[in-house]
Amino acid sequence: MRLMLLMLLLAIVPNRISWADELADRVRVFSSPPAEYAGKLGDYKPVLQQADGTPITSADAWQKRRQEIKQFWHATLGPWPKLLDSPQIEVLKEEKRGEIVQQHLRLEIAPERFTEDAYRLLPPGEGPFPAVVVVFYEAKTGIGLGKPMRDFAWQLAQRGYVTLSLGSAPETYYPSKETCQLQPLSFHAYEAANCCTALQKMPQVDPKRVGIVGHSYGGKWAMFASCLHDEFACAAWSDAGIVFDEKRANVNYWEPWYLGFDPHASRKKTWSLPSKDNPAFGPYKKLTDTGHDLHELHALMAPRPFLVSGGSEDQPERWIPLNHSIAVNELLGFDNRVAMTNRKEHDPNEESNRQLYDFFDYWLKSR
């Protein structure tokens, strides 16, 4: 029996090592900027610098600076409610789709707030499995019952992940529009953080291997959630528009349903670029007026890895803000933790999704 086990291990281990090495090679291809953008930091406010201009040159100094950045963003966007210790889950319906178990859930996402726009997919076996939260306008797309190429939860479940697909309208105010405590995009990040906890509590899930992914609005949502919640082991943001950009209408963080909600003022016309006659309000205006940008949030990921699956809104020049995160990782002694792929179109395609799945396989499975 021992001899048979030894022979089995000798057969499996080289194949496993070969698979991991090949995967690492594929992921490394999109883990460094093109030469034309390498090392360029642009006009973005330095993250490796104290408020008085003193450079940050040690990991300890960075941890202090990191807390300052995180506290600033929470204070600006509105503080989160206390995270749920153990979100309540009720399975409304369970069915088999091939080898995958699909569960329609009633899920607690905030104190005294539940959603039924949530599905959990379970691969065959006992685990513990890696897991991924998938966020979008509605949950059915994530499980393959909506627009194609956005079925991240379904595809990842078939690759051996427990997935939780969550949907929510962008214009969501907590606890209500009249008593809104935080910006809608930050509230969605808080929702996703509670979904992370819900997955971590499952015996079938390895709590150290939970990621998050989303496309477009979901990419914004996934970005804010992973940057502001340290329990996400890694993240992929598909064409979110990863920094403020008032030249592109789809990078619309200024709208009230993202970061521009102000109870005392509103834009004359939404779905339009900010202008003198139609300005932005709320925290977005405060952030841009004082030179802050989303590269500060990206830096909170270090040394956790993240992938920008870039399309029309995130072209290769986005490496300039990403170089700030690369610099933080280098200070901490890590490399290949920041990745970006690029396509011309906003919509994901087979190649961009294969790269995205390779990214998750490398960081949540092969390692």
Side-chain angles (χ1 to χ4, degrees):
M1 178 63 74
R2 289 181 180 177
L3 180 59
M4 290 178 62
L5 286 173
L6 179 60
M7 292 176 65
L8 181 61
L9 284 171
L10 289 173
I12 291 174
V13 170
N15 289 334
R16 177 75 180 181
I17 292 173
S18 175
W19 171 77
D21 287 345
E22 291 175 4
L23 191 58
D25 289 341
R26 293 203 298 270
V27 172
R28 286 194 192 102
V29 169
F30 45 85
S31 295
S32 57
E36 61 187 302
Y37 297 113
K40 293 185 177 180
L41 299 176
D43 296 327
Y44 296 94
K45 189 186 291 285
V47 294
L48 287 176
Q49 184 174 292
Q50 302 287 6
D52 63 1
T54 304
I56 293 171
T57 58
S58 71
D60 288 342
W62 164 247
Q63 290 304 322
K64 181 180 178 181
R65 173 68 177 135
R66 184 183 187 279
Q67 282 303 112
E68 291 173 353
I69 293 172
K70 194 172 184 179
Q71 289 169 4
F72 168 80
W73 280 83
H74 274 306
T76 303
L77 303 182
W80 282 5
K82 183 180 182 297
L83 288 167
L84 300 173
D85 293 326
S86 187
Q88 298 178 54
I89 299 177
E90 177 186 356
V91 178
L92 301 175
K93 182 181 179 180
E94 181 173 297
E95 58 186 301
K96 288 288 291 290
R97 293 174 62 188
E99 293 187 329
I100 304 298
V101 175
Q102 176 179 296
Q103 298 174 330
H104 182 200
L105 306 178
R106 182 174 187 267
L107 175 64
E108 186 180 18
I109 52 173
E112 301 182 358
R113 181 169 292 195
F114 291 78
T115 183
E116 294 184 8
D117 196 8
Y119 290 85
R120 183 169 58 190
L121 302 180
L122 307 174
E126 297 181 0
F129 300 105
V132 177
V133 177
V134 178
V135 290
F136 199 53
Y137 293 95
E138 38 70 32
K140 284 189 175 180
T141 292
I143 62 171
L145 302 178
K147 202 168 182 180
M149 296 296 162
R150 294 156 174 79
D151 56 343
F152 302 130
W154 176 245
Q155 296 297 332
L156 287 167
Q158 293 183 90
R159 298 170 80 104
Y161 294 78
V162 172
T163 58
L164 197 164
S165 185
L166 178 69
S168 185
E171 197 165 1
T172 304
Y173 302 96
Y174 183 82
S176 68
K177 193 168 185 178
E178 294 71 29
T179 60
C180 185
Q181 298 175 2
L182 66 167
Q183 291 295 299
L185 193 51
S186 184
F187 173 69
H188 291 309
Y190 170 77
E191 285 183 284
N194 287 320
C195 289
C196 179
T197 301
L199 287 173
Q200 289 176 315
K201 295 289 184 179
M202 293 177 60
Q204 302 100 313
V205 169
D206 181 345
K208 299 295 185 183
R209 293 189 291 155
V210 179
I212 185 169
V213 63
H215 170 67
S216 193
Y217 150 58
K220 290 177 169 66
W221 183 351
M223 179 172 67
F224 272 70
S226 55
C227 293
L228 293 173
H229 187 57
D230 296 346
E231 290 296 307
F232 284 111
C234 64
W237 317 326
S238 176
D239 211 33
I242 61 166
V243 287
F244 299 147
D245 187 346
E246 295 187 3
K247 295 179 181 179
R248 302 203 57 84
N250 288 332
V251 187
N252 51 345
Y253 290 99
W254 50 83
E255 298 291 10
W257 52 82
Y258 285 143
L259 303 179
F261 176 71
D262 187 329
H264 307 296
S266 59
R267 305 190 72 212
K268 296 176 183 178
K269 182 182 178 182
T270 57
W271 294 107
S272 60
L273 294 172
S275 66
K276 184 177 180 180
D277 295 330
N278 189 30
F281 296 100
Y284 175 83
K285 179 172 174 54
K286 176 183 176 181
L287 289 164
T288 54
D289 283 353
T290 53
H292 293 277
D293 211 318
L294 298 175
H295 70 295
E296 297 173 15
L297 285 183
H298 308 164
L300 300 180
M301 287 294 293
R304 296 174 295 146
F306 67 90
L307 166 70
V308 178
S309 181
S312 58
E313 308 311 310
D314 289 316
Q315 288 293 295
E317 61 267 22
R318 298 295 194 212
W319 275 110
I320 295 174
L322 293 179
N323 283 332
H324 290 262
S325 290
I326 291 175
V328 174
N329 277 288
E330 289 176 348
L331 175 68
L332 300 177
F334 296 93
D335 59 10
N336 297 321
R337 299 300 174 106
V338 179
M340 180 161 64
T341 60
N342 296 105
R343 58 185 182 273
K344 291 182 179 180
E345 300 78 16
H346 177 60
D347 291 350
N349 56 43
E350 289 186 8
E351 181 183 17
S352 67
N353 282 355
R354 176 182 55 77
Q355 294 165 330
L356 186 148
Y357 302 140
D358 279 350
F359 171 84
F360 278 119
D361 281 351
Y362 178 65
W363 289 107
L364 295 183
K365 291 176 74 174
S366 75
R367 297 169 63 85

